[in-house]
Every structure is written in C-alpha cells, then in structure tokens.
Amino acid sequence: MSTYVIGDIHGCFDQFTELLKKINYKKDEDKLILLGDLVNRGPDSLSVINHCMADSSIITVLGNHDLYLLYLLSIDKATGSLKEVVEANRNKQIFKWLLKMPLMLEIVDEFTGNSFLIAHAGIPEIWSPEKTKKLASEVTSLLQKNPLKVLQSMWGDNPNQWNEELVNDERCRIIINYLTRMRFVDKNCKLDLKNNTVKASAGFKPWFKYSSKVHEEKKQYYVFGHWAALNGQTDDPHFIALDTGCVWKGKLTALRLNDLEKISVDF
Ligand SMILES: [Mn+2]
C-alpha cells in the first residue's frame, strides 16, 4: 500500500488521470490525498470532482478555490470556469461532499514513522500541529453547522495577524487565510496576501523560512500546494511544495509518502 499526495489540479483532468496511471495508483490498495484547488481556471473542473467523488480512497484538504466553489454553490451562482459545476445535476451532492473535507491533515507513515502535516497553503510557525488541528476542525464544524454564514463572511484580508482573542467571523476568516492563502509572513506572523511572486517585500519571508530544527528531529514534513511560483522549490527537505503550476502549462506532481519520491506529468 502506498500513500500519495498530489498538488493543485485546477480542473486539469487529463493530467490528473495521466498522473494516476504513471504512479500506478490502485484505489483498492492505495490512499490518495489531494492538496486542494481541485477546480477553477483549468478546462474540466466537473470531471475532476466527479472522479474524486467516485473514489472513497481520495480525500482533499480544502484550498481557496474549493472554498470559492462552495461559496458559488451556496448562492447558486454559475460563473467562469466553475459554471458547469454549479449547474451540474448533482450540485447538492457536490456541495455536501466538499463541505466534509478538512482544512488540515496529519498522516503518519507506518513504515518510516515520518509525520506529514498537510494543508493547502501551509501551517504558520506560531501554531503547533495539535493547535492547527484544533483550529482547522473549529472551522470545519462551523462550515457544517452554518455553511452560508462562514462562506459569506470569509472574504477579505483582515485581520492580517493571528490573535488568540479573535472571535466569530474574524477568527474563522484568519484561520482560513493562514491555511489556504498564506505565502509571505513577517516576524510576528502578519500575512502579506497581496504578493504571489517569489520575491518578498521588506520585512517578510516565506512562511516556511521561520521554522526551526525541531522538524528534523521529529521527522516532521510539511506538505503544501497553492504557491505555483515556487515551482516545487523550498530549499528545505522538510517543507515539500507540490504546486508545480499544471494549469499554467507546468507540471502536475505527486509525492509518495513512503519513500518521498516525486513523480510528475507535463501539462
Ligand atoms: Mn490556492
């Protein structure tokens, strides 16, 4: 049995099925975790969703584009490359399926004992894995209890810094922004959500540059997508970036957790 993590698919269905063939994925034996942003921008978001819903060995962490799709489904607004998903006959089932997905996962590989912390954009250094799990499930239960309220109030870049005192919509919004939109943060973990390049503004660094040696000792790996401009490069083997920009005519990349091998297909 192998466990794979695949980066941002963004509706690139052909590359997705080609990659599954290349890794020789077997749905009855293997496990597949997607890093979110299954949909939008690319040519065939609906086929990606249909394929994933038909295979119970697939789960995804939610990305910002998946949350956008949930939002469009919640207000029944068919627009852009998500039009056919919102208008699909079983759009209500799609909504329910996606709403159940977590914002963060921890997977421990039984052969190596390595632990993999998985979130669409990453996990800020100020939150331990336990704390992150708690905050992520806080959002998931709010999403399930009152989806409209969360989906309609999650927009915006403020507050831009974590604070234990935050409550209600602001608390929910910043947890979502760290886990699904983060790239650069400053030394107080203030988010810069405007910059999607690889060049930091003054006072900011990529979120994964703040971490200490602790990950190495604990055999912890952070696996994330979202940041296509990194093109898979973090210069730190404990931070594994898997969005290799398939939808921008780059590659779609899988990581096999058992041996840390990366396998890609071209757009
Ligand atoms: Mn994203």
Side-chain angles (χ1 to χ4, degrees):
M1 190 204 96
S2 300
T3 304
Y4 297 93
V5 184
I6 293 182
D8 307 35
I9 300 167
H10 274 300
C12 295
F13 182 64
D14 292 349
Q15 289 75 17
F16 180 40
T17 50
E18 195 189 328
L19 183 57
L20 293 180
K21 255 183 234 147
K22 188 164 175 181
I23 62 178
N24 196 20
Y25 168 72
K26 300 183 206 71
K27 73 172 174 182
D28 301 321
E29 290 171 30
D30 300 328
K31 262 199 209 147
L32 179 54
I33 297 151
L34 305 178
L35 276 173
D37 284 3
L38 272 53
V39 296
N40 212 7
R41 292 195 173 124
D44 199 351
S45 291
L46 184 57
S47 294
V48 174
I49 291 275
N50 283 335
H51 184 100
C52 294
M53 284 174 71
D55 178 353
S56 59
S57 303
I58 298 181
I59 52 174
T60 186
V61 291
L62 292 173
N64 50 320
H65 288 265
D66 310 308
L67 286 164
Y68 177 56
L69 171 60
L70 279 168
Y71 170 70
L72 293 179
L73 285 163
S74 77
I75 58 168
D76 197 23
K77 185 175 175 187
T79 182
S81 69
L82 292 175
K83 192 171 185 290
E84 55 168 4
V85 185
V86 177
E87 286 175 344
N89 286 334
R90 49 185 208 141
N91 54 9
K92 291 205 166 51
Q93 281 147 278
I94 295 172
F95 185 74
K96 266 184 150 167
W97 178 81
L98 207 49
L99 205 59
K100 268 193 281 186
M101 294 298 162
L103 283 156
M104 181 262 189
L105 277 174
E106 180 174 15
I107 304 283
V108 179
D109 183 75
E110 55 186 287
F111 302 108
T112 59
N114 288 334
S115 147
F116 296 89
L117 302 160
I118 299 168
H120 177 65
I123 294 173
E125 185 244 0
I126 50 170
W127 295 344
S128 67
E130 290 66 35
K131 169 117 188 158
T132 313
K133 264 183 239 171
K134 212 180 129 262
L135 296 175
S137 39
E138 206 179 297
V139 174
T140 303
S141 42
L142 286 171
L143 262 174
Q144 282 166 11
K145 238 181 273 166
N146 195 346
L148 269 183
K149 181 167 155 50
V150 176
L151 295 167
Q152 290 177 6
S153 62
M154 68 181 178
W155 304 100
D157 296 355
N158 285 302
N160 60 8
Q161 191 177 340
W162 174 248
N163 171 347
E164 296 290 342
E165 321 279 275
L166 288 169
V167 292
N168 302 330
D169 292 351
E170 291 195 321
R171 183 179 174 92
C172 203
R173 187 182 312 130
I174 196 159
I175 296 169
I176 289 174
N177 281 345
Y178 276 116
L179 297 176
T180 71
R181 296 178 60 209
M182 170 175 68
R183 290 188 184 93
F184 294 102
V185 297
D186 77 359
K187 61 180 194 318
N188 300 312
C189 213
K190 188 165 94 183
L191 289 157
D192 174 2
L193 292 171
K194 299 271 181 267
N195 186 356
N196 64 3
T197 69
V198 288
K199 197 175 175 300
S201 307
F204 288 85
K205 287 196 283 192
W207 64 269
F208 50 83
K209 293 289 181 194
Y210 290 86
S211 271
S212 54
K213 283 235 167 273
V214 69
H215 310 305
E216 219 159 309
E217 287 149 20
K218 286 185 169 168
K219 298 171 82 175
Q220 260 172 0
Y221 293 83
Y222 288 72
V223 187
F224 64 102
H226 183 61
W227 199 344
L230 289 175
N231 199 24
Q233 303 300 314
T234 62
D235 300 323
D236 183 332
H238 287 264
F239 291 87
I240 304 174
L242 292 183
D243 184 355
T244 43
C246 187
V247 77
W248 307 110
K249 300 199 166 26
K251 291 173 191 294
L252 187 64
T253 301
L255 173 75
R256 189 162 52 220
L257 297 189
N258 316 77
D259 59 2
L260 296 178
E261 170 117 357
K262 280 185 186 178
I263 305 115
S264 299
V265 294
D266 292 320
F267 179 82

